């Protein structure tokens, strides 16, 4: 099996994922998953598509991850891994979609408007 690429995005985070057959090592920006995401919750989020399909120790995953915060990066990586698994075996798409791992979350930060301190917040109104 050759290397499969996929891209996952969430908020401002972009994860470029490269999957090939191996021992189950996940490398993010030349660091291990445990050192990049010390939180067990974020590690769980990243491994969700692999655990759903019971392929945790089957593929080596190399990731270039940039932008956003750690939560957005973890969810971008989850989407990228799910998209790569669909490219490997299209039959898995139904199970991944039912769990919500194939859907791109479109919510991003709303832009700041001119004449306001933030996107929705207004300066205090003064009648006099």
């Amino acid at each position: 099996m050759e290397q499969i690429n996929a891209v996952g995005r969430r908020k401002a985070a972009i994860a470029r994922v490269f999957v090939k057959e191996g021992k189950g090592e996940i490398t993010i920006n030349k660091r291990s998953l445990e050192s990049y995401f010390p939180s067990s919750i974020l590690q769980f989020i990243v491994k969700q598509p692999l655990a759903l399909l019971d392929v945790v120790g089957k593929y080596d995953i190399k990731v270039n991850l940039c932008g956003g915060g750690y939560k957005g990066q973890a969810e971008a990586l989850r989407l990228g891994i799910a998209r790569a698994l669909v490219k490997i075996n299209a039959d898995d798409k139904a199970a991944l979609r039912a769990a919500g791992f194939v859907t791109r979350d479109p919510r991003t930060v709303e832009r700041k408007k001119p004449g306001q301190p933030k996107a929705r917040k207004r300066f205090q109104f003064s009648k006099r």
Side-chain angles (χ1 to χ4, degrees):
M1 177 185 131
E2 75 283 351
Q3 188 168 281
I4 303 288
N5 339 353
V7 176
R9 292 186 182 90
R10 171 77 170 98
K11 292 185 175 181
I14 301 168
R16 289 187 295 274
V17 180
F18 305 94
V19 178
K20 61 183 179 183
E21 283 186 6
K23 301 181 198 78
E25 295 172 9
I26 300 176
T27 310
I28 305 167
N29 295 349
K30 299 179 182 172
R31 291 163 60 187
S32 71
L33 173 70
E34 288 74 26
S35 70
Y36 196 88
F37 291 122
S39 166
S40 59
I41 295 164
L42 296 177
Q43 291 174 26
F44 173 75
I45 287 172
V46 169
K47 292 178 182 175
Q48 275 180 315
L50 299 168
L52 181 74
L53 301 176
D54 285 332
V55 291
V56 175
K58 197 174 175 189
Y59 299 111
D60 282 345
I61 300 171
K62 184 177 167 290
V63 184
N64 293 335
L65 198 52
C66 63
Y70 50 84
K71 180 87 158 82
Q73 286 188 345
E75 293 185 7
L77 179 50
R78 178 175 72 182
L79 176 63
I81 290 170
R83 284 180 172 173
L85 291 172
V86 167
K87 280 186 180 178
I88 291 168
N89 185 3
D91 299 336
D92 297 334
K93 188 171 185 176
L96 290 167
R97 181 167 295 286
F101 300 148
V102 185
T103 308
R104 156 78 158 103
D105 193 340
R107 296 175 293 171
T108 57
V109 178
E110 192 173 333
R111 78 175 191 86
K112 183 193 171 299
K113 314 311 187 291
Q116 297 177 20
K118 289 162 69 176
R120 301 269 175 113
K121 190 177 184 181
R122 307 280 200 265
F123 288 116
Q124 186 171 348
F125 175 73
S126 171
K127 199 166 193 175
R128 287 174 194 87

